[in-house]
Amino acid sequence: MVLSSAQTELGDKTIRKRVFSGVQPSGSLHIGNYLGAIGRFALFQEGYDCFYSVVDLHAITVPQDPVELRKRTVATAALFVAAGLDPAKACIFVQSDNPSHSELAWVLQCVATFGELGRMTQFKDKARGKKSVTAGLFTYPVLMAADILLYDTDVVPVGEDQKQHVELTRDLAERFNKRFGVTFKVPEPLIPTQGGRIMSLTNPSRKMSKSDEDPDSRIEVLDPPEEIARKFKKAVTDSGREVVYDPEKKPAISNLMTIYSLFSGKSLEEVRDAYEGKGYGVFKSDLAEIVAEKLRPVREKYSQLMSSGEIEDILKKGAERAYEISSAKMREVKEKVGLCSRLRL
Ligand code: AMP
Ligand code: TRP
């Protein structure tokens, strides 16, 4: 039998490989999230068994307004669907709806070491300069490992910034398996060769981020076309006027070319050739048009979903399916570790 890379053979049964990814409901999503993660989610839904979660437990590692958090959680799930996910093909759910995530996170916190968590660069970045840092922010990557390991995940599509967390997940899975017997599948990160790290429009040495205090540093997926045009027009460029890809010498224009290439489907060489001798102005206004046009259906589908209320039903069904799988894994974990389950949950 010829198997695609999305399948594995188990006896005479062919099973689809699992994909898991999560996105925090903190702030609105930008084109970095779109190109590095949510815009790619739908690519897997045909061949893989997909689980995509809005990870609200991760969001509360920093202070959140409860009313806003609840709204953003639903809005983020709506964006998953608006970006092309079909709830009939992929399981979409909210992390806190499924108690297995916190439960496994605790067990894994007793496997992870203080030293390895202290080496996580995202923790160091987020904690830098803060007067008070929660213990949850420190153990955040362990909760992420629990998310992934509960579902026997094969592949984790994420942006470059999450690579270290997936590597930690692999280490924890291997350590647990060695100590207690094989329980978890060891997952692989899947980082796009292009678009895994989209940079800020106002400072191309920093990644585009939800937490940047300057909103003009990012294009949000729901930005209207005029706003997209204004932000690209204002985006910093490098000296000279040539549209050429050179991340070392021309980091700003190279970032804009990457965005252009990914949204248009043209290669970097084609983009360079198309703008030879034309300067930055024409390039930026075409770029704005291409991005706005590509995001238009996402914006439209999002408003339709938010007004219909159908997301609630999608999330309820998603939570039920997720729990069905994760609770079986949790039972196995408890058994292996020597924890009792007197209630049949
Ligand atoms: P977060 O918003 O931190 O929950 O990230 C959601 C997803 O978007 C993760 O897979 C990140 O790796 C990805 N991501 C975040 N920022 C960027 C960026 N600037 N470029 C590419 N991917 C990103
Ligand atoms: N930590 C990820 C981020 O900040 C979000 C996340 C949580 C995640 N759990 C996950 C991503 C599991 C992939 C798989 O972007």
Side-chain angles (χ1 to χ4, degrees):
M1 188 197 317
V2 182
L3 292 172
S4 80
S5 61
Q7 298 170 330
T8 47
E9 203 176 356
L10 199 71
D12 53 4
K13 244 173 84 190
T14 302
I15 53 165
R16 288 191 303 163
K17 286 196 181 172
R18 284 255 165 86
V19 166
F20 187 100
S21 197
V23 175
Q24 291 191 58
S26 40
S28 35
L29 298 179
H30 52 71
I31 57 170
N33 299 128
Y34 184 81
L35 296 172
I38 64 159
R40 300 166 64 225
F41 288 175
L43 299 176
F44 302 96
Q45 67 188 353
E46 301 302 334
Y48 292 79
D49 189 19
C50 296
F51 289 77
Y52 294 115
S53 184
V54 181
V55 292
D56 54 349
L57 295 171
H58 278 101
I60 62 164
T61 54
V62 295
Q64 299 287 342
D65 175 90
V67 176
E68 272 300 303
L69 177 63
R70 207 167 291 130
K71 267 196 219 152
R72 287 205 207 112
T73 300
V74 176
T76 305
L79 264 178
F80 283 7
V81 180
L85 273 188
D86 177 351
K89 294 183 181 149
C91 176
I92 303 169
F93 71 102
V94 175
Q95 186 187 34
S96 67
D97 276 339
N98 182 351
S100 305
H101 292 250
S102 323
E103 205 175 7
L104 180 59
W106 178 260
V107 175
L108 293 177
Q109 279 176 60
C110 302
V111 173
T113 68
F114 193 81
E116 68 190 338
L117 295 184
R119 286 194 290 276
M120 295 291 117
T121 55
Q122 186 167 303
F123 170 72
K124 289 195 264 189
D125 289 347
K126 286 193 177 174
R128 194 169 296 126
K130 296 258 163 52
K131 266 216 212 104
S132 155
V133 172
T134 64
L137 191 66
F138 186 66
T139 57
Y140 172 116
V142 185
L143 177 59
M144 175 161 164
D147 298 342
I148 297 168
L149 298 178
L150 278 171
Y151 299 92
D152 285 330
T153 302
D154 296 281
V155 186
V156 187
V158 277
E160 178 70 42
D161 60 345
Q162 297 302 313
K163 192 168 172 217
Q164 195 186 29
H165 290 164
V166 182
E167 273 156 13
L168 173 80
T169 304
R170 291 169 58 86
D171 290 346
L172 295 180
E174 278 164 359
R175 199 175 307 152
F176 187 100
N177 287 348
K178 212 160 143 211
R179 202 172 290 169
F180 299 104
V182 177
T183 310
F184 297 124
K185 197 167 240 181
V186 182
E188 299 281 345
L190 193 71
I191 295 151
T193 41
Q194 215 194 353
R197 193 172 163 82
I198 298 296
M199 310 309 280
S200 149
L201 300 186
T202 47
N203 180 355
S205 66
R206 297 218 316 235
K207 72 165 186 168
M208 187 176 281
S209 163
K210 288 171 189 172
S211 51
D212 196 314
E213 37 324 320
D214 182 1
D216 288 350
S217 66
R218 58 185 170 263
I219 304 280
E220 296 186 356
V221 174
L222 298 175
D223 274 347
E226 318 78 72
E227 195 59 2
I228 295 178
R230 186 188 65 75
K231 288 182 183 171
F232 275 130
K233 193 164 177 199
K234 205 185 146 199
V236 298
T237 41
D238 314 286
S239 54
R241 60 188 299 278
E242 292 306 306
V243 179
V244 287
Y245 187 78
D246 184 343
E248 290 275 302
K249 296 203 190 88
K250 285 174 153 278
I253 208 72
S254 300
N255 184 43
L256 297 182
M257 283 178 80
T258 301
I259 298 170
Y260 190 120
S261 162
L262 290 165
F263 273 102
S264 67
K266 292 199 170 111
S267 69
L268 291 167
E269 291 73 30
E270 285 172 310
V271 178
R272 179 199 59 205
D273 294 349
Y275 290 93
E276 208 178 337
K278 290 193 181 154
Y280 294 153
V282 187
F283 168 72
K284 282 169 136 190
S285 82
D286 286 357
L287 170 62
E289 212 165 291
I290 287 166
V291 172
E293 215 28 60
K294 192 85 181 190
L295 294 178
R296 180 200 303 279
V298 180
R299 237 179 10 253
E300 288 171 357
K301 176 88 184 159
Y302 172 82
S303 337
Q304 181 232 314
L305 284 163
M306 290 302 277
S307 52
S308 74
E310 61 193 287
I311 285 296
E312 286 302 333
D313 192 43
I314 293 171
L315 291 177
K316 184 161 181 288
K317 291 201 177 97
E320 282 163 2
R321 165 128 202 270
Y323 184 67
E324 202 178 296
I325 292 164
S326 66
S327 55
K329 179 61 76 182
M330 214 42 234
R331 265 197 295 279
E332 187 187 343
V333 168
K334 284 180 152 177
E335 189 106 345
K336 296 254 171 78
V337 175
L339 303 170
C340 303
S341 279
R342 290 191 181 85
L343 298 178
R344 264 276 151 246
L345 294 176

